[in-house]
Amino acid sequence: MASADIVRQMGESVRPLSLSGHVGFDSLPDQLVNKSTSQGFCFNILCVGETGIGKSTLMDTLFNTSFEGSQSTHYENRVKLKAQTYELQESTARLKLTIVNSVGFGDQINKEDSYKPIIDYTDAQFEAYLQEELKIKRSLHNYHDSRIHVCLYFISPTGHSLKSLDLVTMKKLDSKVNIIPVIAKADTIAKNELHKFKIKIMSELVSNGVQIYQFPIDDETVAKINSAMNGHLPFAVIGSTEEVKVGNKMVKARQYPWGVVQVENENHSDFVKLREMLVCVNMEDLREQTHTRHYELYRRCKLEEMGFKDTDPNNKPVSLQETYEAKRNEFLGDLQRKEEEMRQMFVMRVKEKESQLKEAERELQDKFEHLKKMHQEERKKLDEKKSVLDEEMSIFNKRKAATELLQGQAFQTAPQMNLKKDKDRKNY
């Protein structure tokens, strides 16, 4: 019997029983709490928005601290993702917080590909977790999970409508991360215009099919507050780390010539709502949604690209071993086919090279024969010239010998003639 059928039968045979006494597994929630408290938690926030819109200030205000960060300029030639991790502790809970800031977003003249570095970064975190998960020796219990749990998308307070860049970026991101849109610097827009702006934003998001994060209402303990908060999206927020004296107490606020805008005053901004929904109520749901929804979608698509499937063409379950063997055989088949193609190509190229070498050899042989023939003709001409020269030299030597002979005879007769003349002179 297949293992899947056994598990199915075991699931169908489960029946509830009543206990006659205390066992002790009701302490499991406490055990989980103690374990989680000792291990600590991680939470990763992606801040997407134009330079100078107040991302860093809002993070400082949100967590009541001052995060390290350098001021960005408006002259970045491309979008870069800058991640910084911090260790925070509140009471007995420890939180490893990672803030990822999109540096240079929206600063380029051509903003067509501004969203791509953000998509690449989120996919890279999913891929890193998947590679750790696929290892034979895994260590997920102490693995630093860098997957993005929430994206705070900062919208400029124009009061009109969303920019094309905002719609395109959120549409590309909604399947990879939980998006919570926030209207930054909400104190720059009138309250009645702000309400209309919120309605306009939500209408554009719905009409363009952008799926933003909805606070869960399936849990009865938080259903009422989350349902109410879903109606306040997007949150209009103000950030400030400066404290201003209002009445008898110091509050975080922005001081203007015409008055004071209090950050935590719900009549002035939705900052308190954002902090409560993001940190106090739904942080664990954001983490869970990241793992069960967005990461699982990435994992499924990635494994399907690699050829892994749960069912065969007949819709029957397929084990990982069967899939591996099928992919291995397919890979070996492709490898053998490519090897045969390379062998045939090698043989063809060797034949082409041989024919080229033979042709070159024939050309060299023809050239050699031509040069040899020319050499023989030149040698024949030289031999003819040599024979002529030898004949001329022989004639010259004969003439020279005759001339020397005549000169020798002349030298011999000259003394005799002189003696005869002397005799003749004496006789007279």
Side-chain angles (χ1 to χ4, degrees):
M1 184 180 296
S3 58
D5 296 334
I6 296 174
V7 173
R8 193 180 299 112
Q9 289 185 6
M10 289 176 64
E12 292 172 354
S13 63
V14 173
R15 58 195 180 106
L17 293 175
S18 59
L19 303 178
S20 59
H22 181 262
V23 176
F25 58 79
D26 58 349
S27 66
L28 273 174
D30 297 330
Q31 296 177 36
L32 289 175
V33 169
N34 294 333
K35 182 179 179 181
S36 299
T37 303
S38 63
Q39 289 181 348
F41 305 90
C42 73
F43 192 60
N44 306 320
I45 303 176
L46 170 64
C47 298
V48 179
E50 299 175 1
T51 304
I53 204 169
K55 301 186 292 294
S56 300
T57 303
L58 183 64
M59 290 296 102
D60 292 346
T61 312
L62 198 62
F63 290 95
N64 281 328
T65 187
S66 179
F67 297 112
E68 299 175 0
S70 58
Q71 189 174 1
S72 301
T73 67
H74 289 271
Y75 303 103
E76 297 288 343
N77 56 5
R78 61 185 181 89
V79 180
K80 296 182 291 186
L81 277 296
K82 184 179 180 181
Q84 291 179 308
T85 303
Y86 308 93
E87 289 280 355
L88 306 178
Q89 183 160 353
E90 188 176 36
S91 184
T92 59
R94 291 183 297 106
L95 179 67
K96 182 180 285 187
L97 177 68
T98 300
I99 298 175
V100 184
N101 192 11
S102 57
V103 180
F105 181 78
D107 290 345
Q108 296 76 33
I109 296 176
N110 183 5
K111 302 177 178 62
E112 183 179 359
D113 298 330
S114 295
Y115 66 89
K116 287 186 177 180
I118 304 174
I119 300 295
D120 294 341
Y121 181 86
T122 55
D123 285 345
Q125 311 319 306
F126 285 148
E127 182 64 25
Y129 191 88
L130 178 62
Q131 292 301 322
E132 181 65 28
E133 198 177 43
L134 293 176
K135 286 182 179 178
I136 296 175
K137 187 178 180 180
R138 301 183 298 180
S139 56
L140 293 175
H141 62 283
N142 59 1
Y143 174 76
H144 174 53
D145 187 2
S146 59
R147 296 173 297 177
I148 300 299
H149 298 123
V150 63
C151 169
L152 293 181
Y153 196 95
F154 290 73
I155 300 170
S156 299
T158 59
H160 302 292
S161 61
L162 288 171
K163 299 178 181 179
S164 300
L165 176 62
D166 298 331
L167 288 171
V168 171
T169 304
M170 282 193 276
K171 183 63 179 175
K172 295 290 184 181
L173 277 173
D174 63 359
S175 62
K176 298 179 180 295
V177 68
N178 303 307
I179 300 175
I180 298 179
V182 295
I183 301 172
K185 298 183 178 181
D187 53 340
T188 61
I189 185 171
K191 200 166 186 178
N192 58 341
E193 293 179 357
L194 183 61
H195 180 68
K196 294 178 182 178
F197 190 36
K198 284 187 176 186
I199 297 174
K200 179 69 173 176
I201 289 173
M202 293 305 296
S203 175
E204 289 183 342
L205 292 176
V206 172
S207 61
N208 286 276
V210 178
Q211 300 291 327
I212 63 173
Y213 175 74
Q214 294 291 317
F215 303 116
I217 56 175
D218 51 353
D219 187 354
E220 295 180 358
T221 59
V222 294
K224 185 176 180 180
I225 186 172
N226 278 349
S227 179
M229 290 300 109
N230 282 329
H232 283 84
L233 290 172
F235 294 126
V237 297
I238 302 167
S240 176
T241 56
E242 299 179 2
E243 291 192 347
V244 179
K245 188 174 183 179
V246 177
N248 296 324
K249 61 179 182 178
M250 301 295 291
V251 296
K252 287 185 173 64
R254 286 190 175 274
Q255 180 78 52
Y256 294 101
W258 46 263
V260 176
V261 178
Q262 300 178 37
V263 172
E264 297 181 345
N265 189 333
E266 296 193 39
N267 291 323
H268 294 176
S269 79
D270 296 331
F271 175 80
V272 174
K273 296 183 179 68
L274 173 63
R275 184 165 63 186
E276 185 177 4
M277 290 297 97
L278 181 66
V279 180
C280 305
V281 180
N282 298 299
M283 181 181 284
E284 182 57 31
D285 184 73
L286 288 165
R287 287 157 39 91
E288 184 180 353
Q289 285 291 322
T290 299
H291 182 77
T292 60
R293 180 185 168 196
H294 300 295
Y295 171 68
E296 283 300 320
L297 177 62
Y298 177 85
R299 177 179 175 275
R300 185 178 72 234
C301 294
K302 198 69 176 179
L303 291 179
E304 285 178 353
E305 287 178 7
M306 295 168 63
F308 292 97
K309 295 181 180 179
D310 294 330
T311 57
D312 60 10
N314 298 325
N315 209 23
K316 292 182 180 180
V318 179
S319 67
L320 181 64
Q321 180 67 24
E322 293 173 346
T323 306
Y324 168 76
E325 290 294 338
K327 290 299 295 180
R328 183 174 182 275
N329 294 332
E330 182 182 351
F331 173 76
L332 290 176
D334 291 340
L335 186 63
Q336 290 177 355
R337 186 176 67 255
K338 289 180 180 179
E339 185 178 357
E340 184 62 28
E341 290 176 356
M342 292 179 66
R343 185 182 293 108
Q344 292 178 359
M345 186 178 295
F346 176 75
V347 171
M348 182 178 66
R349 288 187 177 180
V350 167
K351 290 182 178 179
E352 290 177 357
K353 198 66 178 178
E354 285 181 349
S355 62
Q356 291 175 1
L357 290 173
K358 288 181 179 179
E359 182 66 25
E361 186 180 1
R362 282 196 296 270
E363 291 177 358
L364 288 173
Q365 186 66 28
D366 293 340
K367 190 174 182 179
F368 173 74
E369 294 294 335
H370 177 68
L371 292 174
K372 184 179 179 181
K373 185 176 180 181
M374 290 178 61
H375 174 71
Q376 290 177 349
E377 291 176 353
E378 290 292 331
R379 186 166 183 175
K380 184 178 179 181
K381 290 179 181 179
L382 288 174
D383 290 341
E384 291 177 354
K385 288 182 179 180
K386 183 181 178 183
S387 62
V388 172
L389 183 61
D390 290 342
E391 185 176 353
E392 290 178 353
M393 288 182 66
S394 177
I395 295 171
F396 174 76
N397 290 330
K398 289 180 180 179
R399 289 179 179 177
K400 181 180 179 182
T403 303
E404 291 176 351
L405 180 63
L406 290 174
Q407 288 179 351
Q409 291 176 354
F411 285 140
Q412 290 178 0
T413 55
Q416 294 178 359
M417 290 290 294
N418 291 331
L419 290 173
K420 186 176 178 183
K421 287 180 179 180
D422 292 338
K423 288 179 178 182
D424 291 336
R425 286 194 193 103
K426 290 179 178 182
N427 293 324
Y428 284 113

